[in-house]
Amino acid sequence: MKLPRLLIPVVVFLAAGAAVAVAVFSGDKPALVDTSGIAAASTDGAEPLGPNPNPDEPTTTAPTPAADGPSRDRMVPLQVKNQAMAIGKADAPLVMVTFESFGCGWCGHFHTLTMPELQKNWVDTGKLRIESRMLPYEQRANPGALAGTAAGMQNKYWDLAEVMYPYITGGAEPRFDGAEPSAAEMSAYHQRQSELAMLTKIQESADDVGLDFDRFLTDFRSTEAAQRVAADTQMGNSIGFTSTPAMVVNGVPHGGFASYERMDELLTQVLAASETA
């Protein structure tokens, strides 16, 4: 199944990701996300809300990295307040902040095809911490972003992700051949993205993942969840991400679906660059 509204942004992001990878692999200075205008989490635990709208007002920023290369210090302004949205050791040498949504088909492919080995070889070994933010790439993905946020509000984001990411793909394999999907395929995908379908699937799975569905539904419809999604979206857009999945690893951006082999290569190079910075 190919998702045409995602295809062009994903292809662009894949090209950008390849450029970053080549820059790192060749020994040249990689492209880095500029986080200087993004408010970091303050000492009292305030949530980062993206670029400071008033440049005359003070803002808390990340520690200045010792060198111009990748480093976990660059990630401080992007990291999440809600630790339920994170997996991996807090002091892992690599920090990857992802922008995604339960309503995103390519995010589903990333979680089902890439994440198992990524967790086994990088997260579980203490080398990588992954923190997730919700960025609905289009209005139809908004219910999925709100659902992810609401699940995180009761520490069930990663449990529900195991259900919702395979669900959003419909069991289809990713396609990169440029073939147009059928009308029936697109209709089924849009149906899975809908609020009703999302909530129905989550209610059916709530007991299996230990989710309090009544509380989830209250959080899903809350102003707080909407504000968190808006803040995550603002942050992702300020970096330049307009499609998902997208991620930043120790300051190095990558957009679009990536296989495990590609992610393993990128993480290896970013880790080496971070250690020598």
Side-chain angles (χ1 to χ4, degrees):
M1 177 183 68
K2 180 177 73 65
L3 312 180
R5 295 182 65 89
L6 281 173
L7 180 60
I8 293 176
V10 166
V11 170
V12 171
F13 272 136
L14 285 172
V20 170
V22 168
V24 174
F25 301 159
S26 66
D28 296 331
K29 185 182 296 184
L32 294 167
V33 169
D34 180 9
T35 58
S36 60
I38 298 177
S42 65
T43 55
D44 64 1
E47 175 73 8
L49 294 178
N52 184 5
N54 187 346
D56 295 326
E57 294 180 359
T59 184
T60 304
T61 57
T64 302
D68 292 336
S71 75
R72 55 174 292 123
D73 285 348
R74 294 186 181 277
M75 300 303 296
V76 173
L78 305 182
Q79 290 187 257
V80 300
K81 170 190 174 184
N82 183 2
Q83 296 306 299
M85 301 299 289
I87 54 172
K89 293 175 59 177
D91 61 350
L94 291 176
V95 176
M96 180 168 78
V97 173
T98 66
F99 293 84
E100 54 194 13
S101 164
F102 287 162
C104 161
W106 285 104
C107 300
H109 291 314
F110 183 80
H111 274 261
T112 57
L113 300 177
T114 304
M115 274 294 294
E117 290 297 306
L118 202 60
Q119 177 151 353
K120 175 183 175 182
N121 298 323
W122 285 89
V123 177
D124 292 348
T125 57
K127 295 183 291 185
L128 175 67
R129 179 174 176 82
I130 302 178
E131 303 188 4
S132 293
R133 290 184 176 275
M134 298 291 101
L135 194 165
Y137 68 94
E138 63 173 352
Q139 186 60 36
R140 277 192 291 260
N142 199 53
L146 289 170
T149 298
M153 291 166 73
Q154 56 176 292
N155 198 24
K156 291 297 179 181
Y157 175 76
W158 295 98
D159 300 273
L160 195 58
E162 294 293 318
V163 173
M164 297 308 293
Y165 282 120
Y167 159 79
I168 194 60
T169 68
E173 293 294 321
R175 287 175 58 176
F176 304 99
D177 58 5
E180 290 293 329
S182 68
E185 286 175 324
M186 284 307 300
S187 177
Y189 173 62
H190 291 159
Q191 172 61 26
R192 291 193 298 274
Q193 286 182 304
S194 71
E195 179 175 313
L196 177 59
M198 284 273 170
L199 294 180
T200 298
K201 181 64 176 179
I202 292 168
Q203 185 173 25
E204 292 172 351
S205 308
D207 289 343
D208 293 336
V209 300
L211 185 77
D212 181 334
F213 184 74
D214 290 337
R215 175 185 167 188
F216 168 86
L217 198 58
T218 297
D219 290 336
F220 177 86
R221 302 194 186 286
S222 69
T223 299
E224 181 180 357
Q227 289 176 337
R228 290 190 186 190
V229 170
D232 286 358
T233 300
Q234 180 186 9
M235 182 178 287
N237 290 164
S238 74
I239 294 169
F241 294 147
T242 57
S243 184
T244 51
M247 55 211 70
V248 182
V249 187
N250 278 24
V252 178
H254 182 281
F257 171 85
S259 67
Y260 171 72
E261 291 74 19
R262 182 172 186 165
M263 284 301 303
D264 181 66
E265 188 174 16
L266 179 60
L267 293 174
T268 298
Q269 296 300 322
V270 174
L271 178 59
S274 299
E275 291 173 341
T276 59

